[in-house]
Amino acid sequence: MNDRYDAGDAGYGAVPYEVVGYDEYGRPVYRQVPAEQAAQAQQVPQPQPAAYDPYAQQQGYGYDPYATGHQQPSYDPYATQDSYPTHDSYAPQDPYGSHAPYDPYDPYATGTGTQDTGGHDPYGQAASGGRQPRVAEQTAYIPQQAGPAEDTPAAQDGPAARGGTTAGDTGPGPEAPDYRTEQFAFVEEPDGDSEDVIDWLKFTENRTERREEARRRARSRLIALLVVLAVVAAGGVGYLWYAGKLPGLSSGGPAGTAAPVTAQKRDVLVVHLHNTVKGGTSTALLVDNTTTKQGTTVLLPNSLALTGDDGSTTTLAKSVDDDDTSGTRDQLDTVLGTSIQGSWRLDTPYLQNLVDLVGNIEIDTDTDVPDPDAKEKGAAPLVHKGQDQTLSGKMAVAYATYRASGESENAQLQRFGQVMQGVLRKMSSDPGAATVTVQTLAQILDPPLTDKDLGTFLARLADLAKSGDYKTALLPVRPDGTLSAETSDSVVKDILGGTAKSPDAGSAVRVSVQNATGVKDDTEKARVVLLNGGFTFLEGGSASGTEATSKVTYADAADQAKATEVAKTLGLPAGSVTKGTVSSGADVSVVLGRDYKPSSS
């Protein structure tokens, strides 16, 4: 392995070089030989390099690029004990395993001794006597086709290039193959798993995995679909149960009928508009159906007949004029069969301020409204008829209280309902902001209603009005102020969830009394006399002026005897009884004149 040659012929100078090992890439490593060693090497015969056996095991522990002498035995886990080379204990050793004397100034010196290198095995496998690795795991050196001799340094600098044999040649003999590391390539021997088999296994494995993944996704989607269907079905059944529409569970008749309206939850507030300038009142119910998410304004005519605590019959207008809000609320609950949570008295100045606070309202007006403050006839109207009319606070009050000559009470009541719905559309849907608006009015509310309760209630109705889930309905009332089942079901039952309970017609003669005597106490005295006589008293208010004589009027001929009995009870002459028009909700109408003497009754 320590081949020495004269490098002078190779162009390196007069000093010879020798191969001391191989680097990690299998290329030879050279070193410069001292002159005295070179001279001695020319006298010592060199052994003929043995033929290179690619499968021979090198004696030594491993590859050392600097060692050239005896190699330490390499470790082979499959080698037997007799496969390790013996150590020559008689030859002097240097730190790198050579037999020549050790030169401390030349760390790579190897001396001139000979060494038995054998075939070079760069992988340091054990001797051939040991156990060999499995065939499937062996890696063989396959000699490559060598190029021209001048392509490699060994071919240029070796003995063959100088023409002749090296020192120590004993004579002609079979020339060993000149194999070099760069002539070999690593080739793995084929095993049982060919590329085709591996590819087929991979394809089969991938296809199986894809099928399993597709099955898992299908199962997941099916489970998710079943869960969604179950939730939807449960929600639908729950809604049908809550609405009473499940077959066999509804209380309103056969299967599939609508749920009873009494099962729905409603919040109801009664609002009384007091006209502080012209007098008179207008009443409406604000209804929030939290079950159906529907808001409604129910307009109540003033002629609606109510039953007082003492059993007497009165009208809604008379009950509100008495300023007994709690009593009116209870009477409405009795007649309509509903539950009203509170009463809101809204005087016209507060309505004007409320409209201004919400920033005006937009409604469709049905008539021109004159300016009440105008001093000239023919002045421009305060409110014009048309669609999407913007009304300020003053205009809204004028429109809500306006009743033209010859118009029914219901016409004015409908305008009041329009204004209330327009206010709700402009009210804030935030309970806190709506409460601040109510507090800004500085209004004293009737207990148990508070600013916060009113603000929260109006905010909910405002949200429904803005979303279009709000409407206005008029309660139909018969001329006598009572409610019929046919006309009241659409409002009393469907909207309020109640049952009409008007005073029984014919149970007592209803007498409407209007005071024209100029004495306010005469009305109360007449009421006491009529109630003691078994009649139902209806408040007719006070006339704008006085009348000289009293009048007792009946509408139907069948009521003539009743009118005569009323006149007798009040102490009026029989000639005061006449046939004519009676007040709404009354059987007999009475106008007390100055000839009425309560003391004689």
Side-chain angles (χ1 to χ4, degrees):
M1 185 172 180
N2 295 333
D3 297 333
R4 295 181 177 86
Y5 60 91
D6 188 359
D9 298 334
Y12 289 91
V15 182
Y17 289 83
E18 67 175 351
V19 178
V20 296
Y22 296 89
D23 57 12
E24 58 272 20
Y25 300 100
R27 293 173 298 188
V29 177
Y30 302 96
R31 79 174 183 86
Q32 201 173 37
V33 180
E36 60 275 11
Q37 292 184 6
Q40 184 179 1
Q42 293 178 0
Q43 299 176 2
V44 178
Q46 299 294 330
Q48 180 70 24
Y52 181 74
D53 184 5
Y55 299 98
Q57 304 294 329
Q58 181 178 355
Q59 296 180 0
Y61 284 99
Y63 173 69
D64 185 0
Y66 305 104
T68 57
H70 275 291
Q71 303 294 327
Q72 298 295 331
S74 60
Y75 174 73
D76 184 5
Y78 302 99
T80 58
Q81 183 176 2
D82 56 354
S83 64
Y84 291 92
T86 59
H87 180 65
D88 188 2
S89 58
Y90 299 100
Q93 300 292 322
D94 61 53
Y96 298 96
S98 63
H99 295 280
Y102 174 65
D103 187 358
Y105 297 100
D106 185 6
Y108 301 100
T110 56
T112 58
T114 61
Q115 60 181 6
D116 185 10
T117 60
H120 175 65
D121 185 5
Y123 289 88
Q125 298 186 5
S128 59
R131 184 183 305 170
Q132 299 297 323
R134 290 168 296 189
V135 175
E137 299 178 358
Q138 289 183 0
T139 301
Y141 289 101
I142 304 300
Q144 298 178 348
Q145 183 66 32
E150 63 271 13
D151 293 342
T152 60
Q156 297 176 4
D157 301 334
R162 294 191 299 268
T165 61
T166 60
D169 287 349
T170 57
E175 184 176 1
D178 191 10
Y179 292 125
R180 293 174 179 80
T181 304
E182 60 271 22
Q183 295 179 264
F184 297 87
F186 294 94
V187 178
E188 294 185 357
E189 295 183 358
D191 53 12
D193 296 333
S194 64
E195 284 296 329
D196 294 338
V197 175
I198 294 175
D199 292 340
W200 171 252
L201 292 177
K202 289 181 179 179
F203 169 77
T204 305
E205 182 180 1
N206 293 339
R207 184 174 62 176
T208 304
E209 291 179 353
R210 287 195 298 269
R211 288 179 177 177
E212 292 296 330
E213 183 64 24
R215 292 192 187 99
R216 285 194 294 268
R217 287 198 299 266
R219 285 195 297 268
S220 301
R221 292 173 181 173
L222 180 59
I223 294 174
L225 178 61
L226 293 177
V227 171
V228 172
L229 292 178
V231 172
V232 172
V237 172
Y239 172 77
L240 294 176
W241 172 83
Y242 181 78
K245 296 182 179 180
L246 286 178
L249 296 182
S250 61
S251 59
T257 57
V261 293
T262 55
Q264 301 172 5
K265 185 179 183 304
R266 300 171 179 84
D267 294 330
V268 183
L269 179 69
V270 59
V271 53
H272 304 291
L273 176 65
H274 288 254
N275 190 340
T276 60
V277 177
K278 295 181 179 181
T281 60
S282 300
T283 303
L285 297 178
L286 303 180
V287 183
D288 176 20
N289 191 325
T290 58
T291 302
T292 61
K293 306 298 182 183
Q294 177 67 47
T296 309
T297 296
V298 179
L299 304 175
L300 305 179
N302 283 332
S303 61
L304 177 64
L306 303 177
T307 302
D309 295 336
D310 56 357
S312 62
T313 302
T314 185
T315 62
L316 175 62
K318 178 64 172 65
S319 179
V320 175
D321 285 340
D322 290 341
D323 291 334
D324 186 7
T325 55
S326 61
T328 302
R329 183 172 65 248
D330 295 338
Q331 293 170 10
L332 288 173
D333 283 341
T334 302
V335 171
L336 302 177
T338 185
S339 177
I340 301 174
Q341 285 77 35
S343 299
W344 180 22
R345 172 168 176 159
L346 183 63
D347 294 346
T348 49
Y350 290 111
L351 176 60
Q352 178 176 339
N353 294 338
L354 180 59
V355 173
D356 291 336
L357 284 174
V358 298
N360 299 336
I361 61 176
E362 290 78 25
I363 60 175
D364 297 336
T365 58
D366 60 359
T367 185
D368 292 337
V369 178
D371 188 353
D373 298 333
K375 298 180 180 179
E376 299 179 358
K377 291 185 178 181
L382 179 64
V383 178
H384 294 275
K385 179 181 178 180
Q387 294 182 347
D388 296 331
Q389 295 294 312
T390 301
L391 305 183
S392 63
K394 180 181 178 180
M395 298 167 65
V397 170
Y399 184 78
T401 58
Y402 179 71
R403 178 180 176 182
S405 177
E407 280 189 334
S408 65
E409 177 192 5
N410 293 340
Q412 177 268 322
L413 201 58
Q414 292 278 14
R415 298 184 184 109
F416 171 53
Q418 286 182 278
V419 171
M420 288 303 300
Q421 187 167 349
V423 170
L424 292 175
R425 282 198 297 264
K426 295 299 292 291
M427 179 76 68
S428 174
S429 301
D430 178 64
T435 301
V436 172
T437 301
V438 173
Q439 292 173 345
T440 307
L441 292 175
Q443 195 178 6
I444 299 177
L445 302 176
D446 295 326
L449 190 64
T450 64
D451 293 340
K452 182 177 180 181
D453 294 338
L454 180 58
T456 303
F457 180 77
L458 294 178
R460 295 202 306 265
L461 292 180
D463 186 57
L464 296 175
K466 293 175 183 177
S467 62
D469 299 324
Y470 201 93
K471 62 182 179 179
T472 301
L474 176 66
L475 179 68
V477 176
R478 291 187 295 194
D480 60 355
T482 60
L483 304 173
S484 65
E486 294 79 9
T487 58
S488 63
D489 278 353
S490 59
V491 177
V492 177
K493 182 179 180 181
D494 297 341
I495 297 177
L496 300 176
T499 304
K501 297 178 181 179
S502 294
D504 296 334
S507 60
V509 178
R510 294 181 296 275
V511 180
S512 173
V513 178
Q514 184 180 33
N515 188 358
T517 63
V519 181
K520 186 176 181 180
D521 293 341
D522 288 348
T523 304
E524 180 62 22
K525 293 177 181 180
R527 188 183 73 84
V528 173
V529 171
L530 290 174
L531 290 177
N532 291 336
F535 296 96
T536 299
F537 177 81
L538 299 178
E539 174 65 41
S542 298
S544 57
T546 61
E547 297 287 341
T549 58
S550 300
K551 295 180 181 180
V552 179
T553 307
Y554 64 92
D556 297 333
D559 296 332
Q560 182 178 3
K562 300 176 182 178
T564 302
E565 187 66 25
V566 169
K568 181 181 179 179
T569 303
L570 292 174
L572 299 176
S576 62
V577 178
T578 61
K579 184 178 181 180
T581 303
V582 299
S583 300
S584 175
D587 300 322
V588 177
S589 293
V590 177
V591 177
L592 298 177
R594 289 192 302 269
D595 61 344
Y596 171 65
K597 303 300 181 181
S599 59
S600 62
S601 56

